[in-house]
Amino acid sequence: MADNTQSNSRSKGKSGAWDATRLPDLVGRTAVVTGANSGIGLTAADALARAGAHVVFAVRDPERGRAAAATVNGSTEVRRLDLADLSSVREFADGWQGRPLDLLINNAGVMMLPQQRTADGFEMQFGTNHLGHFALTNLLLPYITDRVVTVSSGAHRWGDARIRFEDLDFTSGYDPQRAYAQSKLANLLFTLELQRRLAESGSGVRALAAHPGYAATNLQSHAANPLMRGLMKIGNRFLAQDDRAGALPTLYAATQDLPGASYVGPDGVGEMRGVPTLVGRSAAASDAGVARRLWTVSEELTGVAWRVGDSVVGA
């Protein structure tokens, strides 16, 4: 799916800045977008479909997914996927039935929720944002032909963000902001280790990450802290870019010729808005040892092993 004419971290179109009109021809390609029923996921799905891809809306609520897909100009289908329930993740993967999959976009997520648990007992943000996508990616990996793009966030830098191996589920002293930061840090560490494993196995599949900057979406409305919800409402109105701009880093990572493990975000001040470009990550998000440890723990928690080719191989 790579457009080999775009090797620079920043690309310019006729209007001066790279946008969704610069996507390559994706006719004959298949993409799965998790959380495609709204926000950045829907915008990305729409752009991919307009470029010719067949886009699978992987959504928790198929009715909402079908309503969203009906607004898209292109080839789509809707499949149920609840990332907060590993049985649903397995059901989705089992139903794939060996079809080639060019692009998996791990976009869905929850943000700063009141304390909740997934169907399998994990802290909701870590369980949905990381473990659900970890399991989905590994189960679909034998069919993926091009790349995996996982949506992270600048929140991976918040405060003392780290992977709390001693208490991943925040059973002691739950903090919605720290739990969210941990899940977004996990997204980047997952991408780092996935790319290492893909390269080591000789696979041509690439793993990349992206973040939308400060994009006004419905995620912020679920924040547990009323003050935080209020602040984000103000920020959404005066500082944030819209979901179309917020989806550009994801689309850039999904279609441009970038190295594996690349991280794409906006080029503006504080990476809050702007043209998609390669961006940096925290030292914690670059720790290969922690990435390996997180992978091992994630395998144990989900019961999903590293998969490549047509077989499951050991870690």
Side-chain angles (χ1 to χ4, degrees), residues 266-273:
D267 70 348
V269 176
E271 297 175 16
M272 289 196 297
R273 56 195 303 151

Side-chain angles (χ1 to χ4, degrees), residues 17 33 55 71 116 157 206 209 235-236 241 252 278 313:
V33 182
V55 183
T71 69
Q116 299 177 41
R157 298 179 181 273
R206 281 174 281 183
N236 282 353
Q241 55 187 2
Y252 196 78
L278 294 181
V313 297

